[in-house]
């Protein structure tokens, strides 16, 4: 099959290289990824300046067509599907260095790239390794290979992508696979305050996070216990129970105020 790969760690990141290496053994690969790290940019897109797409090479894989794009992950996917490499069978984003569990998916450029593809009518997968250091990326690449086979046999509905997180451990040590929902992460809020050489304050974003998922059937809990987690994600953030409740109650509330 024809696979478009993207990510948010940048075209020269180890995650996309290992992913391309593994998937290119059985598939035709094309890469469109940011020219520098764009983690945490979510679905942002470039609207008021031009994009540059520079042909580049993935280390060790000179035969794979690849572009370093001067934009966000969403830009990379849109530019690839619109101009550079239209009509792949599946779009795979990753392998991200670090998890995209629970509410992480709202901030993740990795997930956003796959989501953009899903919203353009393509089958799409986002793959993240729990290891920030890129330990055992081959494990996540093998899981991605299986996910490609799965989604080609079981296509998702329009707008839905598969979000996959893989522990950074040897493949043989994975406990199994859990199809599960997203948890709520609580991110540390207090920025680290420092002073620059001119005596002006600056702030480093904190990276700590806690999840309230102990014992719950959610992605963060299972991933921490050594399972691969799979969550089908859709774009619709509507709170349907609240919607129905408000459809009934809001007109009266307005009439009576
Ligand atoms: Mn990233």
């Amino acid at each position: 099959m024809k696979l478009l790969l993207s990510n948010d760690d940048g075209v020269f990141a180890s995650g996309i290289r290992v992913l391309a290496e593994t998937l290119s053994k059985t598939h035709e690969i094309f890469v469109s990824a940011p020219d520098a790290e764009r983690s945490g940019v979510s679905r942002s897109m470039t609207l008021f300046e031009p994009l540059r797409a520079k042909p580049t090479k993935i280390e060790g894989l000179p035969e794979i067509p690849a572009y370093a794009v001067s934009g966000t992950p969403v830009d990379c996917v849109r530019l690839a599907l619109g101009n550079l490499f239209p009509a792949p069978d599946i779009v795979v984003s990753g392998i991200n260095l670090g998890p995209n569990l629970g509410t992480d998916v709202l901030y993740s450029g990795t997930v956003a790239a796959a989501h953009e593809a899903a919203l353009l009518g393509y089958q799409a997968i986002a793959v993240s390794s729990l290891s920030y250091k890129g330990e055992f990326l081959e494990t996540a690449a093998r899981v991605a290979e299986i996910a490609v086979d799965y989604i080609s046999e079981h296509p998702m509905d329009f707008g839905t992508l598969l979000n996959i997180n893989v522990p950074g451990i040897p493949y043989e040590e994975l406990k199994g696979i859990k199809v599960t929902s997203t948890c709520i992460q609580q991110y540390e809020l207090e920025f680290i305050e420092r002073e620059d050489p001119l005596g002006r304050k600056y702030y480093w974003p904190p990276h700590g996070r806690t999840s309230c998922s102990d014992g719950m059937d959610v992605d963060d809990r299972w991933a921490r216990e050594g399972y691969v987690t799979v969550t089908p994600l859709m774009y619709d953030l509507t709170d349907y129970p609240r919607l129905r409740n408000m459809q009934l109650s809001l007109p009266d509330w307005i009439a009576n105020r």
Side-chain angles (χ1 to χ4, degrees), residues 160-171:
T160 295
L161 73 128
L162 284 185
N163 184 43
I164 301 177
N165 281 275
V166 184
I169 56 179
Y171 187 85

Side-chain angles (χ1 to χ4, degrees), residues 1-2 33 35 64 67 84 132 139 145 178 184 189 241:
M1 277 181 295
K2 292 182 180 180
D35 58 6
I64 291 179
Y67 284 94
L84 306 174
Y132 288 100
T139 304
E145 201 176 7
K178 292 283 182 187
I184 294 178
L189 185 57

Side-chain angles (χ1 to χ4, degrees), residues 207-226:
H207 279 235
R209 59 168 109 181
T210 51
S211 165
C212 330
S213 65
D214 282 348
M216 293 168 67
D217 180 12
V218 289
D219 55 359
D220 178 72
R221 177 259 179 113
W222 293 119
R224 280 190 284 113
E225 291 188 12

Side-chain angles (χ1 to χ4, degrees), residues 53-154:
K54 193 175 164 195
T56 187
K57 287 188 171 32
I58 306 292
E59 189 190 331
L61 302 163
E63 72 286 1
I64 291 179
Y67 284 94
V69 177
S70 65
T72 67
V74 164
D75 291 331
C76 294
V77 166
R78 295 186 65 86
L79 187 61
L81 297 177
N83 299 55
L84 306 174
F85 190 64
D89 298 298
I90 301 173
V91 177
V92 186
S93 179
I95 302 165
N96 189 61
L97 296 192
N100 279 307
L101 294 161
T103 34
D104 292 345
V105 304
L106 297 175
Y107 304 94
S108 167
T110 304
V111 173
H115 221 157
E116 191 64 20
L119 289 171
L120 291 167
Y122 289 86
Q123 296 299 313
I125 302 167
V127 186
S128 303
S129 169
L130 266 56
S131 169
Y132 288 100
K133 294 178 183 163
E135 294 153 308
F136 298 102
L137 282 171
E138 300 75 17
T139 304
R142 279 179 75 176
V143 170
E145 201 176 7
I146 295 165
V148 164
D149 289 347
Y150 176 79
I151 209 170
S152 65
E153 285 181 32
H154 305 83

